[in-house]
Amino acid sequence: MAKSSADDAELRRACATAVAASGARGEEVAFSIRVAKGRGIFEKLGRLAKPRVLALTVKQSSRGEANKAFLRVLKYSSGAVLEPAKLYKLKHLTKVEVISNDPSGCTFVLGFDNLRSQSVAPPQWTMRNIDDRNRLLFCILNMCKEILSYLPKVVGIDIVELALWAKENTLTIDNQVSTQDGQETSVATQNERKVTVTVENDLVSQAKEEEEDMEALLDTYVMGIGEADAFSERLKQELVALEAANVYQLLESEPLIEEVLQGLDAASATVDDMDEWLRIFNLKLRHMREDIASIESRNNGLEMQSVNNKGLVEELDKLLERLRIPQEFAASLTGGSFEESRMLKNVEACEWLTGAIRSLEVPNLDPCYVNMRAVREKKAELEKLKTTFVRRASEFLRNYFSSLVDFMISDKSYFSQRGQLKRPDHADLRYKCRTYARLLQHLKSLDKSCLGPLRKAYCHSLNLLLRREAREFANELRASTKAPKNPAVWLEGSNSSGHNGSSADTSTVSDAYSKMLTIFIPLLVDESSFFAHFMCFEVPALVPAGSPNVNKSKSGGNDADDDLGLMDPDGNDLKPDSTSAELGTLNEALQELLDGIQEDFYAVVDWAYKIDPLRCISMHGITERYLSGQKADAAGFVRKLLDDLESRISVQFSRFIDEACHQIERNERNVRQTGILAYIPRFAVLASRMEQYIQGQSRDLIDKAYTKLVSTMFTTLEKIAQSDPRTADIVLIENYAAFQNSLYDLANVVPTLAKFYHQASESYELACTRHITSLIYLQFERLFQFNRKVEELTYTIAAEEIPFQMGLSKTDLRRVLKSSLSGIDKSIGTMYRRLQKTLTSDELFPSLWDKCKKEFLDKYESFVQMVTRIYANEPIMSVAEMKEILASF
């Protein structure tokens, strides 16, 4: 016989694991067994039967409370792992019913009183055999008795038989634990046996009570054995007597029944009468409801019509109010004066006109009114008023701008005069123009096209004033500046001219240029800003924050009021999207406003250049400083003016550099030049002065000038040196040395000059090497010529064969040594005097003579090594002896 799953320890452990994984704490599995879940007996072995595991668990309660018992249904997951499916509390178990339709008796149903849907049949559980069924049912009854102290109702199974089975199989229901060697060991406890006996006694006592009830019934009839017929006859007699008693009771209640029937008939008649009356009343009420609904409908229509008429009257009154033109506004728009005292009324009239025109447009006016004749006529009348007012205001403003500037130009006190520089002051001009700022805003709102002629008129008038101020200021600035009468001259042949040019103080020239920019650049920026705001350009602030030397307190008057804080007539801030659209128009207008003033700036630049070309460096730095501060897009003309000034200064400075290069190249045409060329020391003075003038970011300008000048100097020096090959190296040595000596300090701080300093140093070393080599070979030609021939033969033949070659024998060696070294003191003295004679600078002689001695000693040492290697045992003066002889000179 197969082993029961109730004894499977692995199954019990799997159930315990699944219960613990579900989050239940403190629950112990007391019993587990495999079952089949179905809804009918024919599903026992069919495909619809679902394998399940029933587990009885007990939860130990704390704090002295009773323990809790549960019935858990577990199913197999896709990985053949048990997982919880259902949970039932045993305290709700009311019935255990064995299905009678199952002949095997292995199918049963557990009834719980707390199921959500009592209409759905509870699941049927099918066991493998009767023993498994009895084990499960007995365990359930056992736990109910022990923990819950009650027994559920048992249906379909003989309790006596179940008790007898439990008594016979007490040991088989004990828990079985498999040992390691495969044997099973009983772990039943004494408590379990006691509980089993208790359940058996309860079942037997329940059967005995039923038997005692039957015996008590039979004891009422004292009869002997074999009197069954008499007993049956007696029962029939008692049944007949009972029926007779019932019939008699019915006959006695007949009068009462008759009375009730009569009452029912009367009530039925009354109900019929009531029903007839109700039908009549219902008909009348229905007619009344129809009459009331009709009256209410007519009343609602009248009320709606009254409300609509009232609303229509109100709307027409509002429309008439919109269409009405106030007499005072009409007078101001058609023929009012534009004097300053009347401007407030004119602005109010403009505001009303703008609002009236917009109120008749679709967003502010209902579309149904747009095509009304009164609205169209009133709109045409308003357009006529607008055209008339715009024409009158434009004509007045054009004349006003012209007359205002003409008055200022006619008054000479506004401009610089002889002996007095006058800073331009436009405070009064702007104050008078600001009176009409609001008027211009409303003109833009009414007719934007009218601003074009007004802007041109303003630009033309103010341009005359600005050009007159700049011309007078520039003329007086040049006249009042104390500058050298003779212009500075650089790099020409005369020493006196170069000295004069470098020593004259021309700082007043660059100061004059700086003063010109300090006065007029802020003025032009302020005028551009005022013009942009006054003429209603949709641009941001034009004066950039942190501009160098842009001091508003010096730009003339109270410029704190220049920021008009303008908005459109509706009170809305100007949108950034509209800024870029008007920048082009604004820059064109600024070109007309400020065009021509640049000529006076150019005149100052040209004047400064004629006095001292090097002052272009200072002016270039000053211009760059101002240019870096002009970042606002709308001040485009001012930036363009500064760009043009910077370009003109750069062109003038380049012209000076070109002239200096021509002066340097002119030295090449002079015949037989010796010694240090004049432009070498003068360039050092020029470079020092240029470094003093550097301001701002003028480094690039100076570096380019250095590159061009020094390149021309070196090229000219090489050409002059090549004109006489005999003195070429001497000219190069002396001039490159003079270049290094004069620019030593500057080369340490100026990277560009340091590059040319190193280039001159390399050229100096090459020229020294060539000149010293020529002196040595001139005096000791045979000695070193012999050495060169031997060295050349070492590449073609063996060293021991060289003494046997023609002209290279030991005899030839002795002749060369005798002719070259017999009077070595005299020869070295001759070489010493020749080198001293060729140099015009005594400062260079010691270093050159040291180089000459070192070069001669190196060559002689090489000669001695050759003699020792090729001509062994030949007597020759040692290197140490030669060094002693050279040390005496």
Side-chain angles (χ1 to χ4, degrees), residues 305-323:
Q305 185 177 0
S306 176
V307 171
N308 290 338
N309 290 336
K310 184 178 179 181
L312 179 59
V313 170
E314 292 177 355
E315 288 295 323
L316 290 177
D317 290 339
K318 292 179 181 179
L319 183 59
L320 289 174
E321 184 64 25
R322 290 184 182 181
L323 299 180

Side-chain angles (χ1 to χ4, degrees), residues 675-677 729-742 764-765 767-768 771-772 775 832 835-852:
I676 299 175
L677 300 178
D729 292 331
I730 296 299
V731 172
L732 293 177
I733 289 172
E734 292 180 341
N735 283 278
Y736 281 128
F739 181 85
Q740 294 179 74
N741 293 334
S742 61
Y764 171 79
E765 294 295 335
C768 288
H771 184 61
I772 291 171
L775 284 177
Y832 176 85
L835 177 61
Q836 190 176 26
K837 183 179 179 181
T838 56
L839 292 176
T840 59
S841 175
D842 296 336
E843 297 177 356
L844 296 177
F845 177 74
S847 62
L848 281 178
W849 176 241
D850 291 339
K851 289 179 181 289
C852 184

Side-chain angles (χ1 to χ4, degrees), residues 610-629:
K610 290 178 182 179
I611 295 175
D612 186 0
L614 291 184
R615 284 299 167 181
C616 290
I617 301 173
S618 302
M619 293 189 294
H620 188 276
I622 295 170
T623 307
E624 277 190 340
R625 188 169 69 252
Y626 275 91
L627 186 60
S628 63

